[in-house]
Amino acid sequence: MSNEDPFPSPVGGVPMASDFGTSIFFSLLYLSLIPIFVSRLYNKHSRVIVSINAIITTIERVIIFSLRAWQSRNSAERISPTLTTYMQVTIALPYIVIAHDVVALLRCLYVNSTKGSAGFTDPHDSPVAPSMSSSMHPLSPLHSPSIHLSDEIHIHDDPKKRFFYRWFTDVLKLAFLAATIPGIIGNAHYRGGMDNASTANEVMITRYLSSGIALFLILFVAALVVRARRLPKVEPIHITLLLSILACNASSAIFRLLFMYHRTTSLTSIAPGSGNTPLEKATFYIFHMLSDWLAVALLLVPNIRAIFKTGMWGDWRAVDPPSQEQEWARRRKEVKARRSGLIV
């Protein structure tokens, strides 16, 4: 498809014949993470919903790379405006929602740091307070850590600070909508931008707004992660994992900001700036698709539940549960732990 008026070049270009092998490779790469998620879901010690966006991204990427492999062998579908628009939307959003998941994990770090040495026990399986010794860091999919109550650190309980951290991270999560909504709007209108110069300009602006705001938020969250090093119960593995994920997210955002000013007159153009040159395709796969995969893998491969003390649902409460409810839950979990022979 060609047009006299230039329109924003598609991020990642369109799948040419040379993209077939790469598309199959990335489809299998993302597919390889699904069994890990299944094993996490099966094991009650690693079952967690906090990183649900990671598995959604994984399934979505298997689909789009399968479609790209099909398009690379079908010249008619290669220039399909509908498929191109779908690709632009699905490629644009995952790094933002993964960064949103990092905020959920960061919240667990901050909230757990305010809990006393006994902490409180949430009957609905929100994070708990006991710290984890370095020998307990669970990186294998089926690891089942034991609980060492003797490793707890005596820390003053601070419910006011805990409330503030929860409120602040809730606001921060909402702030990501400022990047997500323009990303959806701009890329969903990509089809219209191919035929209308005004719409093309809107697509250009909204895509830049989305990636620019996302990069700012990613860097802001990274600063909060670095600050968390001083908090009680925070260990190097927490900081390393979160910063590694954010670095992958930042890579995707920076790549988009550096590329999206390009325009083209044809989806199949191989001119510089079209997204279809070998160099542009290579940078797209390395700094956007591979970095997205690494971010997802860092959320699915380690036992996030045990490392960050997330419980199954993460820290979803706005306030602490009532004291009687906490006491009941604590006793129930202690009985369970004794029966399983976990208390040393």
Side-chain angles (χ1 to χ4, degrees):
M1 174 177 285
S2 59
N3 196 326
E4 292 182 0
D5 296 321
F7 54 89
S9 298
V11 176
V14 295
M16 312 297 271
S18 58
D19 287 279
F20 178 77
T22 312
S23 297
I24 293 295
F25 170 77
F26 273 98
S27 181
L28 293 175
L29 197 62
Y30 277 95
L31 185 64
S32 68
L33 296 175
I34 295 180
I36 296 175
F37 172 75
V38 173
S39 69
R40 289 275 178 235
L41 203 60
Y42 178 77
N43 186 346
K44 67 179 181 180
H45 295 294
S46 61
R47 191 179 302 142
V48 65
I49 304 300
V50 177
S51 55
I52 190 65
N53 285 325
I55 191 61
I56 293 174
T57 298
T58 298
I59 295 171
E60 177 188 65
R61 287 292 165 85
V62 172
I63 293 172
I64 69 167
F65 278 114
S66 298
L67 286 173
R68 284 178 72 92
W70 174 62
Q71 284 182 293
S72 69
R73 293 299 178 92
N74 190 321
S75 57
E77 295 299 332
R78 184 178 301 161
I79 58 173
S80 165
T82 301
L83 277 178
T84 301
T85 301
Y86 169 70
M87 295 287 179
Q88 292 305 294
V89 174
T90 54
I91 287 172
L93 300 179
Y95 78 96
I96 300 175
V97 297
I98 294 299
H100 182 275
D101 283 351
V102 171
V103 176
L105 295 177
L106 184 65
R107 173 180 175 134
C108 291
L109 288 185
Y110 273 85
V111 168
N112 281 339
S113 73
T114 67
K115 297 176 183 177
S117 53
F120 68 78
T121 304
D122 192 334
H124 296 287
D125 202 22
S126 283
V128 291
S131 63
M132 182 186 296
S133 66
S134 59
S135 62
M136 294 168 59
H137 292 145
L139 294 176
S140 65
L142 296 175
H143 184 84
S144 300
S146 59
I147 298 174
H148 295 268
L149 298 181
S150 61
D151 287 343
E152 294 180 11
I153 302 173
H154 296 286
I155 299 166
H156 175 67
D157 191 67
D158 195 341
K160 290 184 179 179
K161 189 176 288 186
R162 187 156 58 243
F163 175 81
F164 171 76
Y165 288 154
R166 285 169 170 160
W167 172 83
F168 185 80
T169 50
D170 280 339
V171 173
L172 186 55
K173 287 179 182 179
L174 288 175
F176 274 89
L177 291 175
T180 304
I181 292 174
I184 294 173
I185 294 173
N187 289 286
H189 290 169
Y190 187 82
R191 171 65 181 87
M194 297 166 70
D195 301 322
N196 185 290
S198 176
T199 304
N201 289 332
E202 291 175 7
V203 169
M204 180 77 75
I205 293 169
T206 51
R207 293 203 306 180
Y208 260 103
L209 274 175
S210 174
S211 295
I213 294 172
L215 181 59
F216 171 79
L217 290 173
I218 288 167
L219 295 176
F220 181 70
V221 174
L224 295 178
V225 172
V226 172
R227 180 190 178 278
R229 291 182 305 173
R230 304 174 182 177
L231 297 176
K233 305 177 186 176
V234 174
E235 301 180 7
I237 190 172
H238 300 141
I239 306 303
T240 301
L241 268 177
L242 294 186
L243 287 181
S244 297
I245 296 169
L246 290 171
C248 295
N249 299 149
S251 172
S252 298
I254 292 170
F255 168 82
R256 296 180 66 84
L257 290 170
L258 292 176
F259 174 79
M260 289 188 303
Y261 73 92
H262 290 296
R263 292 178 183 258
T264 185
T265 56
S266 171
L267 288 176
T268 55
S269 170
I270 55 173
S274 65
N276 293 320
T277 67
L279 179 60
E280 289 166 346
K281 284 290 179 71
T283 53
F284 165 71
Y285 285 124
I286 294 171
F287 296 108
H288 200 338
M289 295 298 96
L290 183 59
S291 64
D292 284 354
W293 180 85
L294 286 171
V296 168
L298 288 170
L299 282 172
L300 292 179
V301 175
N303 189 340
I304 293 297
R305 174 171 177 162
I307 293 174
F308 288 91
K309 294 292 191 179
T310 64
M312 182 173 177
W313 304 99
D315 186 72
W316 56 272
R317 289 182 177 273
V319 295
D320 294 343
S323 57
Q324 290 181 345
E325 199 175 352
Q326 294 177 35
E327 184 60 28
W328 173 82
R330 181 182 293 111
R331 289 177 180 177
R332 186 186 63 175
K333 290 190 176 183
E334 285 177 356
V335 170
K336 238 180 177 180
R338 289 192 184 97
R339 286 176 181 173
S340 303
L342 294 178
I343 294 183
V344 178

